[in-house]
Amino acid sequence: AVAGTLLPIGLGCAFMTAVGFSVTTGIAAGTALSSTSIGMATKMMQTVGELNTPLGSLICVAAMVDDVLSLVILAVISNLGRASGGDGDTALKIAQPILVSAAVVAVGFVTFRFTPSLLAWLLKRLPPASHPDAVVCCLLALTMALVVAAGAAGSTFL
């Protein structure tokens, strides 16, 4: 996944600087080309009958990691475009999306650990007929809250 992100960025940067653009423009172009389509990878694995195999799972996870890395790099580039101060400001603008994305992963692990217990507690208090709707609403609300928090903290809303 890392090679799938860094190789297009390196090639995009090399090409764009060779034709006269800045390194930042080259990194942005390479990052735009580095994200894969998880939908395309999933469909391809399904077509060849490999989706439910360890190889298919590995390829799909690598595509997702590649996409996440690309989004973090795009957030860094976006922040660099807004950086106006000296070296300290630039360093903060580079570090912020990376650190916030790492924090989002940590919060995700904690959320993964406690959400089933909280949902079970909630479902005990609701009529059984409303359980499917309650689960969907709770998970959607939790997802939206985490996305908004990640974006507000300085990572990407995507």
Side-chain angles (χ1 to χ4, degrees):
V2 173
T5 301
L6 295 181
L7 184 63
I9 291 172
L11 292 173
C13 188
F15 176 76
M16 294 301 281
T17 54
V19 294
F21 290 94
S22 70
V23 172
T24 305
T25 303
I27 292 171
T31 303
L33 295 172
S34 71
S35 75
T36 57
S37 170
I38 186 60
M40 186 244 356
T42 304
K43 183 65 176 168
M44 184 181 70
M45 291 291 111
Q46 183 180 25
T47 301
V48 297
E50 291 288 328
L51 184 59
N52 294 322
T53 66
L55 176 64
S57 296
L58 178 67
I59 290 173
C60 289
V61 167
M64 285 188 274
V65 170
D66 182 44
D67 287 350
V68 169
L69 289 173
S70 296
L71 289 172
V72 171
I73 293 168
L74 285 174
V76 169
I77 293 169
S78 175
N79 280 359
L80 283 176
R82 292 191 300 253
S84 59
D87 291 338
D89 188 39
T90 302
L92 177 65
K93 294 294 182 182
I94 290 171
Q96 184 179 12
I98 296 168
L99 295 174
V100 171
S101 296
V104 166
V105 170
V107 169
F109 279 121
V110 171
T111 303
F112 177 76
R113 170 68 180 99
F114 292 109
T115 298
S117 302
L118 292 173
L119 276 176
W121 176 83
L122 176 68
L123 293 178
K124 287 179 186 176
R125 286 149 180 76
L126 296 174
S130 67
H131 286 187
D133 292 336
V135 169
V136 169
C137 288
C138 287
L139 293 179
L140 181 61
L142 178 63
T143 301
M144 294 303 295
L146 291 173
V147 165
V148 169
S155 185
T156 175
F157 286 103
L158 300 174

